Amino acid sequence: MSVYEMILVEQQGRVGLVRLNRPRALNALSYALMNEVLHALEAFDRDDQIGAMVLTGNEKVFAAGADIKEMMDLTPVDMLKQDLIAPFDRLGKLRKPLIAAVAGWCLGGGNELALTCDMIVAAESARFGQPEINLGVIPGAGGTQRLTRAVGKALAMEMVLNNRTLNAQEALQFGLVNRVVPDERYLDEALALAAEIAARAPLAVRLGKEMVNRAFETSLSDGLRAERRAFHFLFASQDQREGMQAFSEKRAPNWKGE
Ligand code: DAK
């Protein structure tokens, strides 16, 4: 496994776990940190032994946003040259499910990072917001787009224009997160959810994720066409035969990922 300075990486069964580990800066997402996250998650995504991934921070903070001190003197040319958005784009293209386990602050680029994940498990202490307006800017990595698709226009406007912060229950109510659990359980809950998904038919999980994401990018008719092709394709897999055979024989399926 690679040596990282700002993240901790481990494997638990078929689940890959990445922890943001820059606590003194509240896990501020520096360029180097984002590249480590991307490197670790892409490695898990390529690994056949891994079926799903979890991204987390610590019990006080998921991430307090992009690193303001690193960003404050950048010019537009610096930003273009560093291609700061690339890690977010590439994380959005991971093929295996990625679950964010969030406790404490989840702000700015931190919230955008959570939004690139497929699901969010929140601790009661989680607080979600896009405070960029306080810095004289707007979200730059999906906070006006993915957030609006998740919570709708009314709330996104309040969050982006007026720094409205959501507590965990509000985030659940407005569809930003999948579930809220007591603080002591948020990581275990996310790991258990990831393990359940990782035990399912890998090709179907992969195409299911791809198709749900497609719904945000295409017309209904194109999306339905893509879904049908993916559905037909799965009938070429051994796992489709196995799944349906196992059902008719009243036994558990033995997935091969083929
Ligand atoms: N960046 C750098 N350092 C940060 C930081 C951040 N975002 N957040 C906190 N820190 C540092 C603090 O400076 C402090 O460091 P020292 O002074 O001890 O050296 C340390 O972490 C502890 O912070 P506090 O003392 O402030 O802790 P508190 O508990 O009092 O307050 C807080 C916690 C989360 C409420 C507060 O730290 C805070 O408001 N932080 C800033 C939150 C914020 O404004 N986030 C949005 C940042 S802008 C893009 C991609 C992404 C983005 C933009 C473009 N492209 C790819 C184009 C994203 C932009 C953003 O996220």
Side-chain angles (χ1 to χ4, degrees), residues 22-26 28-29 64-69 71 79 83-86 88 105 107-110 112 131-132 134-135 137-141:
R22 209 187 159 207
R24 270 177 295 175
L26 303 189
L29 302 169
D67 189 324
I68 300 169
K69 295 165 191 168
M71 197 168 46
M79 292 202 192
D83 199 9
L84 291 174
I85 195 76
F88 288 87
W105 294 114
L107 299 177
E112 291 169 310
E132 289 88 344
N134 293 342
L135 303 169
V137 294
I138 64 170

Side-chain angles (χ1 to χ4, degrees), residues 84-98:
L84 291 174
I85 195 76
F88 288 87
D89 284 348
R90 280 168 62 181
L91 289 176
K93 292 192 167 65
L94 293 171
R95 296 165 308 168
K96 292 173 187 166
L98 172 60

